[in-house]
Amino acid sequence: MKWIASAAFGLEGQTMRDLKRLGAINAQTMNVGGATFEGDFAMGFAANLWLRTADRVLLVLAEFDARSFQDLFEGVKAIEWERYIPVDGAFPVRARCVRSQLMSESDTQSIVKKAVVERLKKTHRVEWFAETGVTIAIDVHIRNDRATISLDSSGTPLSKRGYRTWNGEAPIRETLAAGLVLASGWHPWQPLIDPCCGTGTLLIEAAFIALARAPGLRRAFAMEQWPFVNRAELDAVRREAQSKCDSSANRQIRISGSDIDPEALELARRHVRQAGLEGRISLEQRDLRDLHPTGEAGVILANPPYGERLDTARAAHSIARQLGLLHARTPGWKMCVISADMGFERVFGQRATRRKRYYNGRIECEFRIFE
């Protein structure tokens, strides 16, 4: 079976590498939007559990050219929907259209829904579908007149790990946070410090990586309710992920964060506790100017305010300047910062060794690494 692991811009490569580590067949990045791979239902479930930077895992049912609504209707109707949707099943449709003849997403949803209903009418021999049973969500993506029809195996987006129930100001998405930790080059045996930790997302994702914890271990996925999947096989995959986490539970990690905002720190403590990491991550209220790391050098990783979430750019520049001073007084440490401020390096006082572009929500950012 073919699957798609959708991912935000900049995270496609990491998603592909994670798939290869899982043992997925033919894992490769897409031109845009994620990575594709092949595997059975157990592999699809493993992808849901383990992918740190993907948004959703989709089971591909069909791909065909669709330059008209008639093409779309016939292509969808040809799929054996009776194999997937029971007579009482709910089948909502989500659509996205990009650079195609068919650009109305609402009309696309209606046509796909009608085609599925027409197919199920003949096979289930009913005229009305109450849709009161299990949900089998249909995903339709049309790009350059090529339609991809899939089932959403994730349900709630994979960025929703389950530990973050309170959001501070401008929170970073969990999938991007994990991507930044991985892109920083940090190794789990090194110290990691977030001096602008906010509600703690970067720290928690780093701890998951260090402890070999599957990010989806404590949440459910839509495919666990699919009637055509062997639930025992999925349970076995989850037990294996739990055993890996258990075996690393006593591993020593040195992950710490600080922030000047006491309310953000209180949220960070709640999130750490809900993630099951209490006592594993050190948090303290501290001004950047008072931060003086000692001991073995490691990585300083930060998502500081960059203007959009402060009243003035002057305040953001002040923090950027303090990060530059922190870097100057921590020889041997690597500094990694994501920011939307194109003048960040000028204020920081040094040019980055490497840069990578991401989107934090809809904000275009650069991730800068200062060796």
Side-chain angles (χ1 to χ4, degrees):
M1 294 181 288
K2 180 179 178 180
W3 303 77
I4 294 173
S6 64
F9 176 84
L11 297 174
E12 304 95 336
Q14 185 58 55
T15 298
M16 183 268 293
R17 288 188 288 274
D18 285 347
L19 285 167
K20 287 186 174 181
R21 275 192 286 270
L22 284 175
I25 299 170
N26 292 335
Q28 53 189 309
T29 56
M30 301 165 62
N31 290 333
V32 63
T36 60
F37 66 101
E38 296 173 9
D40 57 11
F41 286 120
M43 178 54 66
F45 188 60
N48 274 298
L49 276 174
W50 282 102
L51 291 182
R52 301 186 186 278
T53 57
D55 294 323
R56 294 182 184 276
V57 177
L58 307 170
L59 173 61
V60 178
L61 301 185
E63 296 175 281
F64 52 86
D65 292 334
R67 294 182 174 85
S68 68
F69 284 124
Q70 186 64 32
D71 292 341
L72 180 63
F73 181 87
E74 296 298 335
V76 172
K77 188 178 178 183
I79 298 170
E80 296 179 333
W81 292 105
E82 62 275 12
R83 294 178 54 189
Y84 309 105
I85 302 175
V87 67
D88 64 341
F91 45 103
V93 178
R94 179 177 61 240
R96 187 179 179 211
C97 306
V98 181
R99 298 174 185 171
S100 299
Q101 296 293 318
L102 306 180
M103 287 299 293
S104 171
E105 295 178 352
S106 59
D107 288 343
T108 296
Q109 288 173 302
S110 298
I111 293 296
V112 170
K113 187 82 172 184
K114 181 179 178 181
V116 176
V117 168
E118 289 301 311
R119 173 82 188 204
L120 292 179
K121 277 183 180 181
K122 293 183 178 180
T123 54
H124 288 322
R125 300 184 184 280
V126 295
E127 289 296 318
W128 174 257
F129 297 92
E131 299 193 47
T132 56
V134 63
T135 297
I136 313 293
I138 301 170
D139 185 275
V140 182
H141 191 154
I142 305 177
R143 176 180 289 273
N144 297 326
D145 297 325
R146 185 74 176 170
T148 302
I149 313 298
S150 310
L151 299 184
D152 180 1
S153 73
S154 302
T156 304
L158 298 183
S159 60
K160 306 295 184 182
R161 319 288 206 210
Y163 64 77
R164 196 169 77 179
T165 54
W166 296 275
N167 287 327
E169 188 178 358
I172 190 170
R173 186 177 294 181
E174 293 90 323
T175 45
L176 176 56
L180 298 182
V181 174
L182 294 166
S184 73
W186 171 71
H187 298 288
W189 60 82
Q190 294 178 299
L192 183 140
I193 297 174
D194 181 354
C196 310
C197 70
T199 59
T201 307
L202 282 167
L203 301 171
I204 292 171
E205 293 299 322
F208 284 173
I209 292 168
L211 297 172
R213 160 96 170 261
L217 190 59
R218 293 192 173 190
R219 55 157 287 180
F221 301 97
M223 69 180 299
E224 292 178 274
Q225 302 302 317
W226 286 354
F228 50 90
V229 172
N230 185 335
R231 180 63 184 269
E233 292 181 0
L234 307 191
D235 290 343
V237 175
R238 189 182 286 275
R239 285 195 300 271
E240 182 181 2
Q242 182 64 59
S243 67
K244 290 181 179 179
C245 181
D246 293 341
S247 65
S248 64
N250 296 322
R251 184 178 299 164
Q252 294 298 312
I253 60 175
R254 291 174 288 171
I255 298 174
S256 61
S258 59
D259 203 288
I260 199 171
D261 182 356
E263 293 183 1
L265 281 172
E266 179 57 31
L267 291 178
R269 292 187 181 98
R270 292 186 189 183
H271 294 162
V272 167
R273 184 166 58 251
Q274 292 184 161
L277 296 169
E278 197 167 15
R280 309 307 300 271
I281 295 174
S282 174
L283 295 168
E284 63 176 346
Q285 184 178 352
R286 186 180 291 273
D287 191 295
L288 260 173
R289 292 169 291 191
D290 300 327
L291 187 60
H292 298 273
T294 59
E296 181 187 352
V299 173
I300 298 172
L301 178 62
N303 172 38
Y306 31 80
E308 282 79 0
R309 55 191 216 191
L310 291 179
D311 292 336
T312 66
R314 182 178 297 178
H317 283 171
S318 175
I319 294 174
R321 188 175 300 110
Q322 290 302 322
L323 285 171
L325 294 173
L326 173 61
H327 184 53
R329 65 176 180 266
T330 51
W333 286 73
K334 182 190 294 185
M335 173 81 74
C336 305
V337 184
I338 185 170
S339 175
D341 183 1
M342 293 301 105
F344 180 88
E345 292 178 18
R346 175 180 54 80
V347 181
F348 184 87
Q350 181 180 331
R351 289 186 63 82
T353 309
R354 285 182 285 139
R355 301 175 188 82
K356 189 172 176 61
R357 191 155 56 103
Y358 295 101
Y359 279 87
N360 187 1
R362 295 186 176 183
I363 304 172
E364 184 177 351
C365 301
E366 273 197 349
F367 184 54
R368 300 175 173 91
I369 297 177
F370 303 88
E371 298 290 356

